[in-house]
Amino acid sequence: MIDGTPLPLVGPQSALRADAVRNRALLLEAAAELASERGAAAITMETVAAAAGVGKGTVSRRFGDRNGLLQALLDRSEVLFQEAFLSGPPPLGPGADAAARLRAFGPALLRHEHAHRDLYLAAEPTPERRFSVPARQLRHRHVALLVRAVLPGADAELLAHTLLASVDVVLVDHFLRPGASLERLEKGWHDLLDRLLH
Amino acid sequence: MIDGTPLPLVGPQSALRADAVRNRALLLEAAAELASERGAAAITMETVAAAAGVGKGTVSRRFGDRNGLLQALLDRSEVLFQEAFLSGPPPLGPGADAAARLRAFGPALLRHEHAHRDLYLAAEPTPERRFSVPARQLRHRHVALLVRAVLPGADAELLAHTLLASVDVVLVDHFLRPGASLERLEKGWHDLLDRLLH
DNA sequence: AAGATAAACGGGCCGCGTCCCGTTTAGGGT
DNA sequence: ACCCTAAACGGGACGCGGCCCGTTTATCTT
């Protein structure tokens, strides 16, 4: 397992050496600057290594591959979103009933991903790893939990995947290209839930 | 546009030269043999070119990229599936009402993709092209048509994407790994439709 | 039949991602 | 304070995909 990529909301697990911690920060900073100046496509293992003043091998060892680096880059804003639906104010966070939280989740995810769409699109994992990304797993568990509360008879795991897929970044981006609006997608989410909940 | 990859159910559009047609067939045959003998992962631009006795440039020009080659490989079985839901016997084909056709579509797609899962997983397009694959567009139009007939008030395009996503190869494969069954996924499709149609 | 033209061909080139291994260094134990 | 070991480091090597361009060849025209 690649270290230095702590799962969100889980403590450090392997005690990175001090210089490794430093280099990790340097690399993420360099990558963020590259992304904001020349777009996410400009992030390559070599350029980010050079910009941070370290060797390519260091990037590889720390983040595994290019995708791991991009995932780590996303982690900061992802954690903010996670806090919003795990412990933030209702209706997204606890305090509202499951149906209301579920209703609020779609639009919130939609807007969050859309705000960072460049990075999310660039960081789209390969098919075989798509469901292993910690952030995705957390989203899925959360939605499945809400679905279970709202539709006890349903296959919550499967339905959660379906719901999440309906607001996937890639799909959203595809819809927004021609001129569709975020509002249409939000309405789609609400309609879908309304039909599912009678 | 890459020629030699006619859209399903649309006639040829650019009159390939005779030698090009021959090489295209040679390449596809070589790729199919490679896939069956050493797995889809063994298909690289170079090995397939060598196996067919042509240069790498030829593969590149004909199929655009590795993914285009894999899509072309899938086309043969894909066309069979298309015929099944476009003009085959009910309940999948015309002759049954839209609700019954929609019910039948999920399991049919599920089983079709599962039967060719190795190739479908290998041929998974990059995010930006995911919705441009002709076969996917055809599936989507078909499902959207049925949804429009069954739920006139809904956003048929969006809902069709959601339905298709719920039986996506990558998701299905993810579910089947631990030991889930195709039956569970089929039940999920039927439950989803039942809830949507009251 | 012979020339013209557009298309196809081949294979070399470049860039990127990944792997590897000999070297260096941080950090804890004595 | 010194050493010992495990971890991190650098950067070169390799393989694959995508691209390009000088050469060959099929097909159409007259």
Side-chain angles (χ1 to χ4, degrees):
Chain A
M1 162 117 199
I2 302 302
D3 46 17
T5 348
L7 293 103
L9 308 183
V10 176
Q13 65 250 35
S14 89
L16 276 192
R17 230 167 65 175
D19 52 345
V21 172
R22 209 167 41 241
N23 282 337
R24 185 176 194 276
L26 281 175
L27 284 166
L28 285 179
E29 195 181 344
E33 192 178 337
L34 269 174
S36 74
E37 288 187 355
R38 302 200 286 136
I43 297 184
T44 75
M45 302 290 272
E46 215 163 8
T47 58
V48 76
V54 304
K56 302 194 321 183
T58 303
V59 189
S60 174
R61 194 174 327 98
R62 192 60 50 220
F63 298 103
D65 54 19
R66 189 184 119 100
N67 191 262
L69 171 63
L70 293 171
Q71 294 292 340
L73 246 193
L74 272 176
D75 233 48
R76 285 179 286 188
S77 53
E78 181 73 31
V79 163
L80 293 183
F81 177 61
Q82 289 170 4
E83 283 170 1
F85 69 73
L86 287 179
S87 59
L92 194 54
D97 60 288
R101 294 184 72 184
L102 205 47
R103 261 185 88 83
F105 186 84
L109 176 53
L110 223 41
R111 291 182 181 280
H112 168 73
E113 288 189 333
H114 187 249
H116 304 92
R117 63 184 174 285
D118 287 348
L119 260 185
Y120 271 107
L121 288 171
E124 184 69 12
T126 63
E128 52 270 16
R129 297 197 192 159
R130 191 174 302 168
F131 298 101
S132 319
V133 176
R136 288 219 191 196
Q137 291 184 337
L138 184 58
R139 290 179 190 174
H140 179 257
R141 278 200 302 275
H142 181 68
V143 172
L145 192 76
L146 296 178
V147 168
R148 204 168 289 121
V150 157
L151 290 172
D155 189 330
E157 279 204 19
L158 189 46
L159 197 48
H161 276 301
T162 303
L163 288 172
L164 283 172
S166 76
V167 287
D168 184 86
V169 216
V170 182
L171 175 60
V172 168
D173 189 64
H174 170 68
F175 251 82
L176 261 42
R177 288 277 171 202
S181 65
L182 270 182
E183 284 73 24
R184 178 176 172 193
L185 293 163
E186 292 184 358
K187 187 168 182 306
W189 174 270
H190 288 146
D191 278 3
L192 181 56
L193 281 183
D194 287 345
R195 291 180 195 277
L196 288 175
L197 306 183
H198 285 164
Chain B
M1 160 121 201
I2 302 301
D3 45 18
T5 349
L7 292 105
L9 308 183
V10 176
Q13 63 251 37
S14 88
L16 277 191
R17 230 168 64 174
D19 53 345
V21 172
R22 208 167 43 240
N23 282 338
R24 185 177 195 277
L26 282 175
L27 284 166
L28 285 178
E29 196 180 342
E33 193 179 335
L34 269 174
S36 74
E37 287 187 357
R38 303 200 287 134
I43 297 183
T44 74
M45 302 289 271
E46 214 163 10
T47 59
V48 77
V54 304
K56 303 194 320 182
T58 304
V59 189
S60 175
R61 193 173 331 92
R62 192 59 50 221
F63 299 102
D65 55 18
R66 188 184 118 100
N67 191 262
L69 171 63
L70 293 171
Q71 294 291 341
L73 246 194
L74 272 176
D75 233 48
R76 285 178 285 189
S77 53
E78 181 72 31
V79 163
L80 293 182
F81 176 61
Q82 289 170 3
E83 282 169 1
F85 69 73
L86 287 179
S87 59
L92 194 55
D97 62 286
R101 294 184 72 183
L102 205 47
R103 264 185 87 82
F105 186 84
L109 176 53
L110 222 39
R111 292 181 180 281
H112 167 74
E113 289 189 332
H114 188 248
H116 304 93
R117 63 183 173 286
D118 286 348
L119 260 185
Y120 271 108
L121 288 172
E124 184 70 13
T126 62
E128 51 269 16
R129 298 198 191 154
R130 190 176 300 166
F131 298 100
S132 320
V133 176
R136 289 219 189 195
Q137 291 184 337
L138 184 59
R139 290 178 190 175
H140 179 258
R141 279 199 302 273
H142 180 67
V143 171
L145 193 75
L146 296 178
V147 167
R148 205 167 289 121
V150 157
L151 289 173
D155 188 331
E157 278 204 20
L158 190 47
L159 197 46
H161 276 301
T162 302
L163 288 171
L164 284 171
S166 76
V167 288
D168 183 86
V169 218
V170 181
L171 175 60
V172 168
D173 189 65
H174 170 69
F175 251 81
L176 261 43
R177 288 278 168 200
S181 65
L182 270 181
E183 285 72 25
R184 178 177 172 191
L185 292 163
E186 293 184 357
K187 189 169 180 302
W189 174 270
H190 288 146
D191 278 4
L192 181 56
L193 282 183
D194 288 344
R195 291 179 194 276
L196 288 176
L197 307 184
H198 286 166

